[in-house]
Each structure stands twice: as C-alpha cells, then as structure tokens.
Amino acid sequence: MPNPGEKTPLGDGEDPEVPCSPGKARQPEETQHVDVPSLCPPALPPSSPPRALSMAELLETAQEVSKMTIAHEIVLNHDFKVQQVNFAPDSLESRVKETLHKAFWDSLKEQLSTSPPDYTHAIRLLQEIKETLLSLLLPRQTRLQSQIEAALDVELIRQEAEHGALDIPNLTMYILSTMAMLCAPIRDEEVQRLRSLTDPVQLLREIFRVLDLMKMDMVNFTIQSLRPHLQDRSIEYERKKFQELLDKLPSSLDHTTEWLRKAAADTSASPSLSPFQPESNIPPASSLQGAVHRSSDLPSPTSVLNQGYMSLLHWELGQEKYPETLLMDQARLQEVRSQVNRLTIIAAVLLVTTGMCGSALCSSPGFVDRLKRVTEVLLEGLPHTRFEEALLDISHQVCQEVSRTLSQLGCPPLSSDKTASLKGQIKSITDKDNAVRSVIEQRIHSFLSLCLSPTEQKSLENFPKGLAPIQEELREVGRRFGSVTHHNRQVFGPYYSGILKKVLLPEVEPEAGIDSF
C-alpha cells in the first residue's frame, strides 16, 4: 500500500500533472462526442387521434424530454451547473433524511465499538469510497487507477478484518491523500480539515460528504467541457428529440398552433405591432403558396412569429396553455416579462418625477440614480400584481429624496400641493389607462422587438427617449430575450413554417418540403 503521506508515482505515458481535477488542471485531450444524426425534415402531426401510451413508453418519453431539457439548459444558460439538493431544515424530507443517516452512522459506531470490532458496514463504505475515487479519474490515469485498486482491495481488506489486522486510520489517510490530489482547489480546505478528525465514524461520514461535492465538481467540469460541442449540435439534437416526441404524441403542437393563429390574427388586425418585413433568408411569398395569388395585406410569416414572441411578454399564466415549443424556456421568458414590468415602473417613476421637479433638480449629481435604487429595492421580488401597493411606499420615498436634495441645493421645498400631485401621479402609474406607463411600455417593447432580429443589432445602441436611466438593464434583458427567441426560431422554424402555411394560406395544399425561418 502506498504511503499516504507521499505523492503517488506516475505511470508510463501519463501527463506529469495528473491526476487531473475539474479545478486544478487542464481539460482532457478528448472531450465526449455527442452523436447527433443528420437532420431530416420534420413531419407535422397527422390528423388521426393519438394512441394511448403504455407506462413504459411514458417513462421513456419523460427520460427523453429530461435529456433534451438538460442539453437545452446547458446551451442557453451559461451559469447552469449541478447543485446539491438542500431541503428546508424543518421539512419532512429533511427530518427523514437526518433520521435515516443518524441510524446508519450510530449502527456503524456500535459495530466498531464491539470487541472484536465488526467491520461489515465499514468494509461496504470503503468499497463505495473506492468506486467514487475511480469514477473521478480520467481514462489515461491508469497508474493512479492501479494504485487505488491495490490500496483499497476489498478482498484483502476483508481478510485483514477477519484476522484483526485491519488498519482503518492508515486507509483513511491514504483516501484523504488521494482526495487532495483529485479535488478542485475550492475543496482543498475541506479535505485538509478532515485530517484533524480522530473519530473514525465522523471521519468516514465527512469523507462521503466531501466526495459528494467532488462528484458534483466533476459533473460541472464535464458540462463545461461539453458546452462548445453541444452549442454546435444543439439545434439538430433538440429538433430530432422533439420529432421523436411528436411521433409518439401527435397533438404536441396544438397549443403552438393556437399561439401562432392568434399571433396571425393580431398581426392582421394591427400591422404596426410587427415592425419587421421578411428578412432575406425568409422564403418569399411564392414559396409559401405556389401559384396561388397572395393577398397584399397577408402578413409575412416572420412578422407573425415575431408578434407571437412579443405576445409572450403579456402572457398570463393559467389563462392559456403555453406553446409546446417554448415550454423549456417558459421560466426564462416569464423572468424576462417580470423584468420588463419592473423596468417599466422604474422608468415611469423617474419620468414622472423629473417632469414634475424640473431639470435643475434632476441634473443634481446622483439624484436620478438614488431615485432608481429606491424604486428598484421596493419592487424587488414583487409580482406585478403587487406593484400598486409598492408604489405607495415608492411615492413617499421619492418625495423624501426630492425634499432632501432640494435642501442640499438650497432650493425651496415643494409646495404641499405639488408634493401631493407628485405622490398621486406615482401611485397612479399602475392604472390601466395611465398614459406615462403606456408610453414607456410601448417604447420598451419596441426596443425588445429589435432584439428578435440579428440584423437589427446596431439599432440597439439607440435607446428610445425616456429609457436612458434603464439602458444597461434593458440591454441585458434584450440580450436574453433575443438569445432565447433566436435559438427557438432555429430549432422549431420548420414546424412554425408548416403551421403558418395552414394558418395564412389554408386553401393551399402542403408542399413536400418545409420552409424554415
């Protein structure tokens, strides 16, 4: 058995920096290859009713959806990583987990306290530790793999236990030395702290806790390594998986169809809602209708889809079924919607205040920023349904800030009538017919509509009037909104084209090919 205090020697052909860890060393020479078959044109669901799926098919479908969702999350969420599940301290899950763990470790302590000691549980734990350490190795770390296999040979350990020669402290010190080599730098301190534990039961328990963290680090390291490959292939992969789901559940585009049908009706009724004309890579009208004459007022497929995306900023959960093609991004889009609502209120509060107080006060250094921070803090975490009550507090804070700044500038305070008017205008921002909020909301939506098209990115530098104080936050919201919709358009464009052919040109027979956005 290697001395636990020494560094393990390297094998022939191994990199001198091994063992590699998620945080300490370089990425592997070869990263995992994601095999994605070539793309075939997707088939829209047949008109026949779907058959009932068996329980096995349902479970298989759920697993495939889970895989697609994880791959989608890795590509779109650069902060995505696996995290430990922590139950609330007083929850039933937490109490059950703690009770079971306490019973197990109490049993181990009792076994090791007998004379002679009973090593049944201990040997099982050493086996699990060995398997975990091996799982953290890279394929080329053959020498270290052989050393772990030899040092934690379970059969030999079992024989030593039977003859009363098992040295658990020596084994645990070897385990800690190996963990120190394999762990990411962020875990160094925790591994080092384990060396001070003398109670073997407590030490084994803490070893398992830290090993769980190391496994999580390795998974996140693997995700980071795979992300560039997934980004290259995610569109084909997601479309393939969705088509497999569609083959099993042909009704899986019903809500998407209704969403686009409503978007087409809204676009036809109010063409100004969709500022885009068909882009150069969008099929011309003739490709959608063949020889059939196209009416001059028929909206373009691109404008309809853009209108559909913009409608998600008004989507009320529970009132309508979310489009199936956007379910993986529902939480992301709902967060964009919430941020848009907050930014609308913030900009409206600032516009009302600056309009009431005049340029002299508003040009005071830091005044607008202080008002913005006050409003942000009071709106933070609130749903839009509670903005009305928040504006009451905001109006008081704004008036206090106005009074304080006027005093610092040596200016007379606002009259009681003007103060009451300012409070009233702020509190009325959430009214349905409030003109200021409506104008701000329209300008924000106009800006976000530009984020739907990569060709309009230069226009994002020119913010509409009144949005300058929130431009950084709005630019970030626009980036996220554009990222989600662009990826969604690439993945599901062929399906949207097929649906829009039926919606916009119901009299035209579907063609063999499917045009994509």
Side-chain angles (χ1 to χ4, degrees):
M1 180 186 303
N3 189 320
E6 297 177 353
K7 295 287 184 182
T8 53
L10 302 175
D12 296 336
E14 289 191 72
D15 193 302
E17 295 181 3
V18 294
C20 177
S21 70
K24 289 182 179 175
R26 69 273 170 240
Q27 294 186 353
E29 295 174 1
E30 295 184 2
T31 51
Q32 182 178 344
H33 174 67
V34 180
D35 187 20
V36 180
S38 60
L39 175 65
C40 297
L44 291 177
S47 56
S48 57
R51 65 179 180 85
L53 297 181
S54 67
M55 180 58 70
E57 288 174 318
L58 284 173
L59 291 174
E60 180 184 356
T61 301
Q63 290 175 349
E64 292 303 317
V65 171
S66 177
K67 291 178 185 177
M68 182 171 64
T69 302
I70 292 174
H72 180 81
E73 195 68 25
I74 291 173
V75 170
L76 280 188
N77 181 4
H78 287 212
D79 296 325
F80 174 78
K81 59 183 178 180
V82 179
Q83 296 180 327
Q84 280 190 315
V85 177
N86 294 316
F87 299 115
D90 296 329
S91 66
L92 175 61
E93 294 89 346
S94 178
R95 292 198 298 270
V96 170
K97 177 181 176 182
E98 183 61 31
T99 300
L100 292 175
H101 281 207
K102 185 176 186 303
F104 175 83
W105 294 109
D106 286 348
S107 175
L108 175 63
K109 186 172 185 177
E110 184 178 344
Q111 285 188 352
L112 295 181
S113 300
T114 59
S115 184
D118 181 355
Y119 292 110
T120 304
H121 282 356
I123 293 174
R124 192 178 305 144
L125 293 178
L126 291 171
Q127 169 75 30
E128 292 182 22
I129 291 172
K130 172 186 173 182
E131 292 171 356
T132 300
L133 291 174
L134 292 174
S135 73
L136 296 173
L137 300 180
L138 294 176
R140 64 174 173 271
Q141 293 178 279
T142 54
R143 172 60 69 89
L144 187 55
Q145 178 182 350
S146 299
Q147 291 174 351
I148 294 173
E149 293 277 9
L152 299 176
D153 185 333
V154 176
E155 190 56 40
L156 179 60
I157 289 173
R158 187 173 287 109
Q159 292 177 12
E160 290 176 344
E162 292 174 354
H163 293 84
L166 182 60
D167 189 350
I168 291 226
N170 189 46
L171 286 172
T172 54
M173 289 306 296
Y174 171 75
I175 290 169
L176 293 179
S177 297
T178 307
M179 289 171 64
M181 288 188 293
L182 293 176
C183 72
I186 195 174
R187 309 298 175 197
D188 282 343
E189 187 176 340
E190 293 203 62
V191 174
Q192 186 62 32
R193 194 183 305 122
L194 298 183
R195 296 181 185 277
S196 63
L197 300 179
T198 56
D199 180 2
V201 175
Q202 184 183 5
L203 177 57
L204 285 171
R205 184 170 187 170
E206 287 299 297
I207 284 175
F208 271 93
R209 183 185 66 80
V210 176
L211 281 176
D212 282 342
L213 296 175
M214 290 173 61
K215 286 191 293 184
M216 185 176 64
D217 293 338
M218 180 57 75
V219 170
N220 289 325
F221 174 69
T222 304
I223 289 173
Q224 182 182 358
S225 302
L226 285 176
R227 181 171 281 119
H229 300 272
L230 285 174
Q231 287 173 332
D232 292 340
R233 299 173 177 267
S234 62
I235 294 170
E236 292 86 353
Y237 176 78
E238 288 185 38
R239 196 182 294 166
K240 170 183 173 290
K241 289 299 180 184
F242 187 80
Q243 183 61 47
E244 291 175 0
L245 177 64
L246 203 58
D247 292 338
K248 295 178 181 179
L249 302 170
S251 61
S252 295
L253 282 173
D254 288 356
H255 302 319
T256 301
T257 301
E258 186 57 33
W259 167 61
L260 291 176
R261 196 186 307 279
K262 187 176 185 303
D266 291 342
T267 307
S268 298
S270 303
S272 61
L273 291 177
S274 302
F276 296 105
Q277 297 299 321
E279 299 169 10
S280 57
N281 63 334
I282 301 300
S286 58
S287 71
L288 288 177
Q289 62 176 356
V292 177
H293 176 70
R294 183 183 185 217
S295 172
S296 60
D297 61 352
L298 189 66
S300 71
T302 300
S303 64
V304 173
L305 184 57
N306 286 341
Q307 173 60 27
Y309 286 138
M310 293 303 297
S311 72
L312 299 173
L313 299 179
H314 298 281
W315 201 280
E316 292 291 344
L317 292 179
Q319 293 184 357
E320 299 175 88
K321 297 293 185 181
Y322 219 73
E324 297 90 346
T325 53
L326 285 152
L327 282 175
M328 290 188 295
D329 292 310
Q330 182 174 356
R332 249 182 295 273
L333 290 168
Q334 285 295 306
E335 178 58 25
V336 167
R337 176 178 178 272
S338 296
Q339 290 175 323
V340 167
N341 288 336
R342 286 196 292 271
L343 290 176
T344 300
I345 298 298
I346 292 169
V349 168
L350 296 179
L351 188 60
V352 166
T353 306
T354 54
M356 175 74 70
C357 298
S359 59
L361 180 61
C362 297
S363 60
S364 174
F367 175 72
V368 173
D369 287 339
R370 289 194 296 274
L371 291 185
K372 178 182 171 182
R373 284 198 299 272
V374 165
T375 309
E376 284 176 333
V377 169
L378 293 175
L379 290 177
E380 185 64 33
L382 291 180
H384 72 280
T385 53
R386 294 186 57 192
F387 283 175
E388 184 176 357
E389 59 186 85
L391 282 172
L392 178 61
D393 293 331
I394 290 172
S395 67
H396 290 308
Q397 293 295 327
V398 167
C399 287
Q400 288 180 14
E401 187 59 43
V402 168
S403 178
R404 185 183 305 113
T405 306
L406 286 173
S407 176
Q408 291 173 351
L409 295 175
C411 299
L414 290 181
S415 66
S416 57
D417 289 345
K418 219 170 183 183
T419 300
S421 177
L422 177 57
K423 287 184 177 181
Q425 289 190 45
I426 291 175
K427 288 187 289 185
S428 67
I429 285 174
T430 56
D431 292 350
K432 186 176 181 181
D433 57 350
N434 184 272
V436 174
R437 194 204 74 256
S438 297
V439 168
I440 292 294
E441 184 176 68
Q442 184 179 8
R443 291 174 182 175
I444 289 178
H445 283 210
S446 175
F447 173 82
L448 291 178
S449 70
L450 297 176
C451 301
L452 296 174
S453 173
T455 62
E456 299 288 341
Q457 292 304 308
K458 291 183 180 179
S459 302
L460 301 185
E461 299 302 319
N462 301 320
F463 281 83
K465 187 177 179 181
L467 302 186
I470 61 168
Q471 62 180 355
E472 294 304 320
E473 295 87 347
L474 188 54
R475 186 181 284 116
E476 176 60 21
V477 171
R479 184 195 65 78
R480 288 201 297 270
F481 185 53
S483 174
V484 170
T485 54
H486 178 65
H487 185 81
N488 180 266
R489 191 192 304 260
Q490 288 184 299
V491 173
F492 297 104
Y495 298 100
Y496 295 151
S497 291
I499 292 171
L500 288 173
K501 283 181 183 180
K502 295 181 179 180
V503 170
L504 298 176
L505 299 164
E507 72 280 3
V508 179
E509 289 293 327
E511 299 174 11
I514 296 181
D515 301 314
S516 180
F517 287 90

